[in-house]
């Protein structure tokens, strides 16, 4: 079970949004590379990075910050936000990313996702962001008629490494992960699922260790880590099955 610390990039800075609203951004670090090093030093083994500007623009905007992060940490990094072409995917993987997350393009062009999975086995994840159970795209600016489970099932057998499922209604507001919807999705597909959106406290970490949640690959934490609501050492011990 992996706890992925999140670095969300807006205008080159490390921020957290409230409910996906770009106007509700709190800056936590002006040096994303230093933040990446800090997470590695705290014992985290993966890093989740999102180019927020890129998600809206449909192309990389915070590329320099991402490259600085890749140079700053030995940890594997997964990146989402504005990656919409095979050439773009290949370019980022060549720069050292471990995994590329495809979101909007998974709705708009599922064949591209499948092609990418064939070209880069084990290195393509699908980001499914849902509002009221329906998939949102274009940096969450638009909501589709597609349910999260319907979209996930389109990629069964395609070789997708993981699905990152975000409940937008909980993102950045510290109300706890939507475990019911996340586990329902994990039960519906064989692809590993990563929970995202709302992780609030050690209670969520404990919830990750419950039998019905152990099928998940892990969860992403942002604001709770930055605000000090979760002690990294204690959280990582819990996930390793060690007494806190």
């Amino acid at each position: 079970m992996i706890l992925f610390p999140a670095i969300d990039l807006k205008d080159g800075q490390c921020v957290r949004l409230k409910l996906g609203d770009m106007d509700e951004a709190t800056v936590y670090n002006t040096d994303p590379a230093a933040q990446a090093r800090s997470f590695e030093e705290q014992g985290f083994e993966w890093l989740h990075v999102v180019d927020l500007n890129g998600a809206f623009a449909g192309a990389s905007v915070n590329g320099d910050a991402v490259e600085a992060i890749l140079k700053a940490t030995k940890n594997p990094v997964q990146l989402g936000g504005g990656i919409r072409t095979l050439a773009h995917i290949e370019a980022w993987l060549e720069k050292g990313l471990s995994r590329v997350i495809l979101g909007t393009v998974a709705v708009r062009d599922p064949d591209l996702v499948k092609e990418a999975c064939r070209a880069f086995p084990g290195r393509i994840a699908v980001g499914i962001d849902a509002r009221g159970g329906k998939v949102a795209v274009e940096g969450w600016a638009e909501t589709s008629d597609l349910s999260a489970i319907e979209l996930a099932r389109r990629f069964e057998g395609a070789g997708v490494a993981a699905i990152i499922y975000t409940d937008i209604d909980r993102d950045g507001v510290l109300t706890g992960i939507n475990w019911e919807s996340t586990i329902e999705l994990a039960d519906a597909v064989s692809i590993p699922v990563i929970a995202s959106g709302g992780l609030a406290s050690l209670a969520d970490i404990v919830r990750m260790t419950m039998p019905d949640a152990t099928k998940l690959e892990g969860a992403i934490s942002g604001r709770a880590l930055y605000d000090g609501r979760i002690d990294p050492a204690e959280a990582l011990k819990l996930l390793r099955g060690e007494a806190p």
Side-chain angles (χ1 to χ4, degrees), residues 105-161:
V105 77
V107 177
R108 304 276 195 243
D109 189 0
D111 287 340
L112 175 65
V113 177
K114 294 171 184 176
E115 185 182 357
C117 288
R118 289 192 296 271
F120 310 107
R123 303 184 73 185
I124 305 298
V126 168
I128 298 181
D129 306 329
R131 183 184 283 114
K134 297 295 185 181
V135 176
V137 295
E138 306 292 349
W140 301 352
E142 299 176 24
T143 304
S144 72
D145 293 326
L146 201 60
S147 78
I149 288 176
E150 283 177 294
L151 180 58
R153 282 179 169 155
R154 291 182 179 181
F155 300 107
E156 279 281 44
V160 170

Side-chain angles (χ1 to χ4, degrees), residues 12-41:
Q13 299 178 319
C14 179
V15 307
R16 294 301 294 169
L17 302 185
K18 184 178 179 181
L19 301 174
D21 186 345
M22 287 288 271
D23 294 326
E24 292 275 353
T26 302
V27 177
Y28 280 99
N29 199 326
T30 58
D31 186 344
Q35 187 63 60
R37 278 193 298 272
S38 174
F39 281 140
E40 183 178 334
E41 288 162 2

Side-chain angles (χ1 to χ4, degrees), residues 7-244:
I7 294 181
D8 287 359
L9 298 169
K10 179 177 184 278
D11 305 332
Q13 299 178 319
C14 179
V15 307
R16 294 301 294 169
L17 302 185
K18 184 178 179 181
L19 301 174
D21 186 345
M22 287 288 271
D23 294 326
E24 292 275 353
T26 302
V27 177
Y28 280 99
N29 199 326
T30 58
D31 186 344
Q35 187 63 60
R37 278 193 298 272
S38 174
F39 281 140
E40 183 178 334
E41 288 162 2
Q42 288 168 17
F44 293 101
E45 296 177 355
W46 263 89
L47 188 59
H48 175 79
V49 180
V50 178
D51 181 345
L52 294 171
N53 303 100
F56 283 92
S60 286
V61 175
N62 289 286
D64 289 346
V66 176
E67 290 187 41
I69 287 168
L70 290 170
K71 291 185 177 76
T73 181
K74 297 183 183 69
N75 282 348
V77 177
Q78 60 184 24
L79 171 70
I83 302 172
R84 312 250 171 112
T85 69
L86 202 63
H88 204 176
I89 294 164
E90 184 172 16
W92 271 120
L93 292 175
E94 286 179 349
K95 286 178 179 178
L97 277 183
S98 294
R99 227 159 36 187
V100 166
I101 305 162
L102 303 178
T104 294
V105 77
V107 177
R108 304 276 195 243
D109 189 0
D111 287 340
L112 175 65
V113 177
K114 294 171 184 176
E115 185 182 357
C117 288
R118 289 192 296 271
F120 310 107
R123 303 184 73 185
I124 305 298
V126 168
I128 298 181
D129 306 329
R131 183 184 283 114
K134 297 295 185 181
V135 176
V137 295
E138 306 292 349
W140 301 352
E142 299 176 24
T143 304
S144 72
D145 293 326
L146 201 60
S147 78
I149 288 176
E150 283 177 294
L151 180 58
R153 282 179 169 155
R154 291 182 179 181
F155 300 107
E156 279 281 44
V160 170
I163 288 171
I164 294 142
Y165 176 68
T166 303
D167 184 331
I168 298 169
D169 297 320
R170 297 186 182 225
D171 191 67
V173 293
L174 299 166
T175 53
I177 282 173
N178 185 338
W179 291 107
E180 183 180 354
S181 293
T182 303
I183 290 169
E184 182 184 12
L185 176 63
D187 283 338
V189 294
S190 60
I191 305 164
V193 173
I194 299 168
S196 173
L199 196 148
S201 67
L202 278 175
D204 278 313
I205 304 297
V206 171
R207 182 68 182 84
M208 289 168 69
T209 67
M210 297 294 103
D212 64 342
T214 55
K215 63 173 71 71
L216 301 176
E217 181 173 296
I220 293 165
S221 179
R223 189 178 292 269
L225 283 173
Y226 291 108
D227 285 350
R229 294 167 187 266
I230 291 176
D231 175 73
E234 191 174 353
L236 292 170
K237 278 184 179 179
L238 279 167
L239 293 177
R240 288 194 295 262
E242 300 171 13

